[in-house]
Amino acid sequence: MSEAPKDDVRLIWSRYYSAFIPAPAGPGLLDRLKAASGAIGGIAITGLLCGLMLGNGLAHPLLVAPMGASAVLLFAVPASPLAQPWPVLGGNVISALVGIFVAKAVPDPTIAAALAVGAAIAIMSLLRCLHPPGGAVALSAALGAKTVASSYMFALVPVGVNTLLLLVVAILFHRVTGQNYPHVTPKSVTPHDTADPPPLLRAGPSHQDITDALHDFGDTLDVDERDLHALLADVELRAAARMKGAIRCGDIMSRDVIHVAAHAPIPQVRDLMQDRGLLSLPVLSDSGRIEGVIGALDLARPGAQAADIAHRPLLVHGDTPVARLIAPLSSGPRREAIVIDADHRLQGLITQTDLLALLLLHSPDQIGDTSSR
């Protein structure tokens, strides 16, 4: 039998490498260390509190083994749909009840264990609380039906108490470390809070496109469709910035920008914007640095001076790719970007009209190659 060529071996290895050795949880080493420290604290605090609450003492924490698996999800992949509070608490408690019920109904322990795990998966799926450690809870309950899990109280003590305490620790831990947990997908709304999705989500893949793609993909992905929708929109913008990013903000900005001093009185600001037909008016400090920007809606805000009604501007530099302005100027309340230098001084102004003119006057190829201009 002939030996496979080296190129074929490399191809086979690269094809199956990601399947057998998947990417680790967390985007960086710091996130993985956070997950490990969170799990250490979560299990330790849960065990200590259970020992005190249930009378076993600090030296004998009352913990069930599946809590270790729950800790992996809660601290390593907190954005997973399987790691949210209802799947964690509901999945563990319901699985314990299912395991005890099956063990009492089926005398053979092997068959009872198999049925308990299968039934737990089915019921968790129907109740929208699928949690992988729930299978271990059901198995533990079924095998321990004659000892530790002889009563339905096992589902509450220790399983329910363990899970609830671990959840509380996880919520506090993620709040302290700045994580979004329980994970809530940011609501995608237009600046006017209408029912339409933001422009970028309307122009990109639709919700139905994503649903159809996931269906045709075949495998079940551990990701929320709304998170995937927002992620794809961000990927498209990054690809645009990379492929069509040759045009910079300094190439299209207005350079002769009308501005006012921070101490300018409001009537003067209002007259200036009305007389010159301005929709945006940068506000500068006495040293010439950007203090804010005033829009038409800001004129209705209370205040005596320009600095009192100015809002925080979107600041960019002259070498910032224009493609990076598409998201903030199309899907948010901002109507302009202020171009500044390294000393935070005004260099220019880019408005939504400038972006529209760029798209109308340049083909995609020209946007990606300024050498033709």
Side-chain angles (χ1 to χ4, degrees):
M1 184 175 180
S2 61
E3 184 179 353
K6 291 184 178 180
D7 290 342
D8 292 344
V9 173
R10 292 194 188 98
L11 179 62
I12 294 173
W13 171 250
S14 62
R15 180 178 301 173
Y16 292 103
Y17 176 83
S18 59
F20 289 100
I21 310 178
L29 178 61
L30 180 60
D31 297 277
R32 297 164 202 164
L33 293 177
K34 285 182 180 179
S37 62
I40 292 171
I43 294 297
I45 294 173
T46 300
L48 291 175
L49 290 179
C50 283
L52 292 174
M53 293 167 57
L54 303 177
N56 284 13
L58 297 178
H60 302 284
L62 187 58
L63 287 169
V64 289
M67 291 304 106
S70 293
V72 173
L73 289 172
L74 282 170
F75 296 100
V77 284
S80 169
L82 307 179
Q84 302 315 298
W86 168 237
V88 175
L89 183 59
N92 282 343
V93 173
I94 290 172
S95 296
L97 293 173
V98 170
I100 297 170
F101 175 81
V102 172
K104 291 181 178 295
V106 179
D108 186 280
T110 302
I111 297 177
L115 290 176
V117 175
I121 293 175
I123 294 176
M124 285 191 293
S125 299
L126 291 174
L127 296 179
R128 300 176 64 87
C129 60
L130 186 63
H131 185 57
V137 173
L139 182 63
S140 300
L143 296 178
K146 295 182 179 180
T147 54
V148 295
S150 58
S151 169
Y152 284 105
M153 281 299 296
F154 175 78
L156 300 179
V157 180
V159 173
V161 175
N162 281 182
T163 306
L164 185 59
L165 289 174
L166 190 62
L167 262 176
V168 171
V169 174
I171 292 173
L172 294 176
F173 174 81
H174 290 304
R175 293 289 173 85
V176 171
T177 57
Q179 293 277 0
N180 176 21
Y181 185 83
H183 179 71
V184 178
T185 303
K187 184 181 179 183
S188 298
V189 296
T190 60
H192 309 294
D193 198 21
T194 58
D196 288 323
L200 288 177
L201 295 186
R202 296 201 302 268
S206 68
H207 175 74
Q208 189 60 47
D209 293 332
I210 294 175
T211 301
D212 293 341
L214 288 174
H215 180 269
D216 293 341
F217 186 72
D219 294 338
T220 301
L221 298 180
D222 184 15
V223 62
D224 188 279
E225 289 187 18
R226 294 169 297 177
D227 288 335
L228 187 58
H229 200 178
L231 180 64
L232 287 176
D234 185 58
V235 168
E236 288 184 327
L237 283 178
R238 292 176 184 273
R242 175 175 55 84
M243 300 176 65
K244 305 175 184 179
I247 293 185
R248 308 289 172 169
C249 291
D251 298 330
I252 67 168
M253 68 181 183
S254 302
R255 299 177 183 273
D256 184 17
V257 182
I258 301 173
H259 55 272
V260 294
H263 53 74
I266 299 301
Q268 177 185 338
V269 173
R270 182 180 292 107
D271 292 342
L272 178 61
M273 294 186 69
Q274 291 177 350
D275 293 342
R276 304 296 291 270
L278 302 176
L279 296 179
S280 302
L281 186 64
V283 178
L284 305 186
S285 66
D286 292 336
S287 61
R289 296 188 176 188
I290 290 291
E291 287 279 319
V293 62
I294 298 175
L297 296 178
D298 294 322
L299 294 175
R301 298 172 59 185
Q305 298 180 341
D308 298 332
I309 65 172
H311 64 267
R312 186 177 181 181
L314 171 62
L315 301 177
V316 297
H317 293 281
D319 59 353
T320 301
V322 171
R324 294 187 184 177
L325 300 182
I326 297 175
L329 296 190
S330 64
S331 300
R334 303 185 186 279
R335 297 291 178 267
E336 70 288 310
I338 306 295
V339 184
I340 59 174
D341 61 12
D343 295 325
H344 218 74
R345 299 180 186 277
L346 177 66
Q347 294 293 299
L349 177 72
I350 298 176
T351 65
Q352 292 174 323
T353 305
D354 296 322
L355 284 183
L356 180 60
L358 179 68
L359 294 174
L360 289 175
L361 297 178
H362 293 267
S363 68
D365 293 338
Q366 291 174 321
I367 292 177
D369 184 7
T370 55
S371 62
S372 61
R373 292 187 297 127

